[in-house]
Amino acid sequence: MLEELNMPIDKVLALDVPDEVLLERLTGRRTCKSCGQMYHIKFDPSKKGNYCDKCGGELFQRDDDKEETIKNRLAVYHAQTAPLLDFYGKKGMVVKIDGTKAPNEIFESLIKVLEGK
Ligand SMILES: [Zn+2]
């Protein structure tokens, strides 16, 4: 479809993060029931424990942040999406980016790849 639109894919960017790191990131997320503010129990906890710093609302874990849900999503990813990396990898189009680094470092890596450096 993209070729028909004269927009062929020339690069595939893969943000590489081990499953166990994704699990820790996602299962640790907590959301405020009142204002929607997000926290992380390890990386960005609320100073008020299980309550929101901003509004005092109760924090909860969304269903899609629960371990079982995330494990299912990862299984679907490995079965259905990851094979695309092999497909494009054989064409030499995949660039892997270390997704465990800080967001600004990842951003810089992405920019470098997109600028062809
Ligand atoms: Zn709140």
Side-chain angles (χ1 to χ4, degrees):
M1 188 190 80
L2 288 170
E3 275 175 23
E4 278 173 24
L5 294 170
N6 212 17
M7 296 168 61
I9 296 172
D10 56 359
K11 276 192 179 102
V12 174
L13 303 175
L15 287 172
D16 203 23
V17 183
D19 283 5
E20 55 274 19
V21 175
L22 287 173
L23 257 179
E24 184 182 37
R25 284 183 185 172
L26 296 170
T27 58
R29 286 204 301 203
R30 296 294 181 271
T31 307
C32 174
K33 274 182 185 170
S34 301
C35 75
Q37 176 69 35
M38 300 234 287
Y39 297 90
H40 191 283
I41 54 172
K42 183 172 172 189
F43 305 120
D44 184 26
S46 168
K47 292 180 192 78
K48 296 174 183 166
N50 211 27
Y51 295 90
C52 180
D53 280 340
K54 285 189 174 171
C55 78
E58 195 179 344
L59 306 184
F60 75 109
Q61 186 179 39
R62 290 169 26 163
D63 282 343
D64 55 357
D65 289 339
K66 289 187 174 156
E67 184 166 340
E68 202 54 33
T69 311
I70 291 160
K71 283 185 170 169
N72 285 335
R73 282 161 57 194
L74 285 169
V76 170
Y77 167 79
H78 287 295
Q80 296 180 4
T81 308
L84 281 172
L85 289 178
D86 291 334
F87 176 81
Y88 287 114
K90 283 176 187 147
K91 299 180 174 209
M93 292 162 67
V94 174
V95 181
K96 283 196 177 181
I97 307 266
D98 182 353
T100 63
K101 293 189 172 170
N104 63 317
E105 290 178 274
I106 295 170
F107 180 75
E108 279 171 27
S109 300
L110 289 169
I111 295 298
K112 274 185 194 164
V113 171
L114 293 173
E115 288 176 342
K117 286 176 190 167

